[in-house]
């Protein structure tokens, strides 16, 4: 447990980002491990897993309903030394997460096949996507209670224990994946079904570990059975979490539109985009780690009414994120094919993924800046500006991409360049909105505005 209202902000950012980054890398390995073994079953299997993984974006977006609100409210309570409110918010965030997880399972099994038929390129891809989704859904359902537990720990400055647990779950997944996917040692390969099962078993094990270790990791909150819903607290959580959910939902929409708009180029294009997008997510992890560390640091200082430390947190985070992403841009320009080759032996798929990474890398700095802004919006307890900036992509990407998909002269690279331009506009918009929100929020402390 850590008091983030004292000490050097740079040190807090670096130390927390290292642990969070390690945890994010571990989390991303789930998908990369699945892709690595599934690639042995052909491009339709890879495209199917990539298409079904759109459900992960839905789950991530809905989980923000719990995690964003819990992080903001608990970090504020910790900053102002109010353990009673921290306990209350945590209990209600956990009960909300359990309810949403149960509903997500029901809707996933009911509506998932219909959605997959709309975005997959052909019948073989649709079948693989459905098989993967049905076994992967339990892993996604654990994201909601895990979001409450993880956000409560992060708001308290605890990041090491969750990282170690995530490392353990990836180890479980790495052991199970070759056994279940390709039949290593058993002779009974389950293909994409095995990939989903391996991830589901590992995710459930991780949730159990979080519950067991939660009380030992911090002293502000206790995990016990007082989970009866209180609508007034649910409203406090969702008032912050709902716009964040909308922000992530827009990411899902743009991703789904990207899959849909390139379907005419065949399953190799969807598979290449799926691999490139997964690798890009892995590349983003260092900047995401800085942004995730920004939330609890700025949040605790906001609760403690330390206006200058709130402003300094963003400045440091934005600079760190920009430097990291600039270096990663250079790497992707030098050899974009290197990180995608392990996930496909199809030259056409590899070529699509490499070209996507080379072009998309031009927006890495802009994306890092957007991440930092999102972390600050959560810390300030108002995520509506993040939703507004993300919604700009409906006009700058979704509408043009739908139009472009109907043009006979359109090439794949045109969609990648369109995405670069769209994300750059979003970053500029996010910074402008954050400056306005800092001016409005911090002047309430009686602090000078800069």
């Amino acid at each position: 447990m850590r008091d983030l209202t004292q000490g050097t902000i740079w040190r807090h950012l670096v130390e927390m980002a290292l642990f969070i980054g390690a945890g994010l890398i571990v989390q991303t390995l789930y998908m990369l491990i699945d892709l690595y073994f599934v690639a042995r079953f052909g491009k339709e299997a890879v495209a199917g897993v990539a298409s079904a993984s759109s459900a992960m974006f839905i789950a991530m977006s809905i989980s923000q309903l719990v995690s964003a609100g819990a992080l903001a409210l608990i970090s504020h309570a910790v900053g102002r030394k109010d353990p009673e409110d921290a306990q209350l918010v945590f209990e209600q965030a956990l009960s909300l997460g359990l309810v949403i997880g149960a509903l997500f399972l029901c809707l996933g099994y009911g509506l998932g096949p219909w959605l997959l038929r709309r975005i997959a390129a052909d019948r073989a891809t649709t079948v693989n996507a459905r098989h993967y989704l049905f076994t992967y859904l339990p892993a996604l359902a654990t994201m909601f209670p895990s979001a409450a537990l993880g956000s409560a720990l992060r708001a308290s400055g605890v990041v090491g224990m969750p990282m170690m647990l995530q490392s353990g779950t990836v180890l479980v997944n790495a052991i199970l994946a070759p056994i279940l996917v390709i039949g290593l040692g058993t002779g009974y390969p389950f293909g994409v079904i095995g990939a989903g099962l391996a991830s589901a078993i590992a995710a459930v094990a991780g949730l159990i570990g979080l519950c067991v270790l939660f009380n030992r990791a911090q002293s502000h909150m206790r995990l016990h059975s007082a989970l009866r819903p209180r609508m007034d607290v649910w409203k406090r959580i969702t008032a912050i979490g709902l716009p964040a959910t909308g922000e992530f939902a827009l990411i899902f929409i743009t991703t789904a539109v990207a899959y849909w708009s390139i379907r005419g180029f065949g399953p190799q294009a969807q598979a290449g985009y799926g691999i490139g997008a997964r690798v890009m997510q892995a590349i983003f992890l260092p900047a995401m780690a800085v942004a995730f560390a920004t939330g609890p640091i700025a949040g605790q200082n906001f609760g403690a009414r330390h206006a200058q430390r709130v402003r300094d947190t963003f400045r440091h985070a934005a600079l760190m994120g920009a430097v990291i992403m600039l270096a990663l841009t250079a790497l992707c320009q030098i050899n974009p094919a290197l990180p995608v080759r392990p996930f496909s032996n199809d030259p056409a798929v590899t070529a699509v993924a490499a070209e996507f990474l080379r072009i998309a890398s031009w927006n890495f700095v802009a994306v890092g800046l957007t991440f930092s802004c999102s972390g600050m919006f959560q810390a300030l307890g108002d995520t509506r500006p993040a939703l507004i900036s993300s919604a700009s992509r409906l006009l700058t990407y979704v509408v043009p991409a739908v139009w472009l998909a109907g043009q006979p002269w359109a090439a794949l690279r045109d969609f990648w360049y369109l995405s670069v331009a769209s994300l750059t506009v979003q970053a500029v918009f996010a910074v402008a909105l954050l400056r306005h929100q800092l001016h409005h929020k911090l002047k309430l402390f009686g602090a000078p505005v800069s």
Side-chain angles (χ1 to χ4, degrees):
M1 192 170 61
R2 181 179 301 179
D3 183 358
L4 303 174
T5 64
Q6 306 292 326
T8 306
I9 292 175
W10 271 103
R11 179 174 295 177
H12 287 321
L13 274 172
V14 172
E15 290 178 353
M16 292 190 68
L18 286 174
F19 279 107
I20 293 173
L24 290 172
I25 290 171
V26 165
Q27 188 176 23
T28 302
L29 286 175
Y30 274 113
M31 284 73 75
L32 296 181
I33 289 170
D34 288 348
L35 275 179
Y36 178 80
F37 290 106
V38 165
R40 289 158 170 75
F41 294 86
K43 59 180 179 290
E44 289 83 5
V46 173
V49 170
S51 298
S53 295
S54 299
M56 179 186 67
F57 287 105
I58 298 178
M60 287 179 64
S61 69
I62 300 174
S63 72
Q64 295 302 301
L65 190 67
V66 178
S67 64
L71 175 66
L73 294 174
I74 294 173
S75 66
H76 293 176
V78 172
R80 65 175 182 267
K81 308 297 188 291
D82 186 356
E84 290 80 12
D85 191 51
Q87 176 68 30
L88 176 62
V89 172
F90 164 65
E91 291 172 351
Q92 293 306 303
L94 183 55
S95 66
L96 181 60
L98 291 169
V99 170
I100 294 174
L103 291 174
F104 185 85
L105 273 179
C106 295
L107 291 174
Y109 286 119
L111 298 178
W114 178 82
L115 290 172
L116 291 173
R117 287 195 297 270
R118 297 301 183 275
I119 63 175
D122 53 26
R123 186 178 183 279
T125 300
T126 302
V127 171
N128 280 288
R130 184 174 67 249
H131 288 166
Y132 180 74
L133 176 66
F134 277 16
T135 51
Y136 187 47
L137 274 171
L140 297 180
T142 66
M143 292 178 66
F144 306 105
S146 295
L149 293 160
S151 293
L153 291 172
R154 191 152 52 97
S156 301
V158 177
V159 291
M161 185 271 284
M163 184 274 292
M164 289 186 288
L165 274 178
Q166 286 179 324
S167 300
T169 60
V170 167
L171 181 60
V172 171
N173 190 31
I175 293 172
L176 291 177
I179 297 173
L180 295 175
V181 177
I182 63 176
L184 182 66
T186 66
Y188 294 98
F190 291 99
V192 295
I193 293 176
L197 281 174
S199 293
I201 294 170
V204 171
L207 176 59
I208 293 172
L210 265 179
C211 292
V212 170
L213 297 177
F214 183 85
N215 288 347
R216 303 178 186 179
Q218 47 73 49
S219 59
H220 289 295
M221 297 153 285
R222 313 306 295 168
L223 177 60
H224 48 68
S225 60
L227 299 176
R228 177 180 296 178
R230 282 186 47 176
M231 292 300 109
D232 58 326
V233 185
W234 279 23
K235 288 180 181 178
R236 290 175 62 196
I237 295 170
T238 56
I240 299 171
L242 192 58
T245 292
E247 180 188 3
F248 271 74
L250 288 170
I251 296 175
F252 166 72
I253 291 172
T254 54
T255 302
V257 167
Y259 274 111
W260 174 86
S261 61
I262 66 174
R263 72 194 189 287
F265 296 95
Q268 71 274 5
Q270 286 191 321
Y273 173 68
I275 291 173
R278 290 286 186 86
V279 171
M280 186 173 67
Q281 290 169 18
I283 290 172
F284 285 168
L285 293 183
M288 289 177 65
V290 173
F292 283 5
T294 300
I297 296 171
Q300 283 195 23
N301 282 286
F302 183 79
R305 304 176 70 86
H306 296 330
Q308 188 57 49
R309 287 179 65 86
V310 173
R311 285 192 293 265
D312 289 344
T313 299
F314 173 67
R315 289 169 179 161
H316 295 332
L319 179 59
M320 289 174 63
V323 170
I324 291 170
M325 294 303 256
L326 190 61
L328 293 172
T329 299
L331 290 175
C332 286
Q333 289 298 313
I334 293 170
N335 192 352
L338 181 63
V340 303
R341 287 195 187 106
F343 305 105
S344 178
N345 55 9
D346 187 320
V349 172
T350 302
V352 170
E355 183 180 46
F356 169 77
L357 269 185
R358 180 182 60 80
I359 296 173
S361 65
W362 290 116
N363 64 33
F364 283 5
V365 173
V367 170
L369 197 56
T370 303
F371 286 158
S372 296
C373 289
S374 293
M376 289 297 298
F377 290 134
Q378 288 190 27
L380 297 174
D382 186 355
T383 54
R384 291 173 297 175
L387 174 61
I388 294 171
S389 67
S390 294
S392 68
R393 297 204 71 206
L394 294 175
L395 294 176
T396 60
Y397 179 77
V398 171
V399 173
V402 171
W403 173 80
L404 195 60
Q407 305 307 309
W409 47 264
L412 272 176
R413 68 176 65 90
D414 297 328
F415 294 93
W416 313 153
Y417 282 120
L418 176 62
S419 180
V420 170
S422 175
L423 287 167
T424 301
V425 171
Q426 180 186 355
V428 173
F429 198 17
V431 172
L433 290 171
L434 179 61
R435 285 180 58 85
H436 177 269
Q437 192 179 67
L438 285 171
H439 178 92
H440 173 70
K441 294 274 189 179
L442 298 186
K443 73 178 181 180
L444 300 178
F445 297 166
V449 178
S450 60

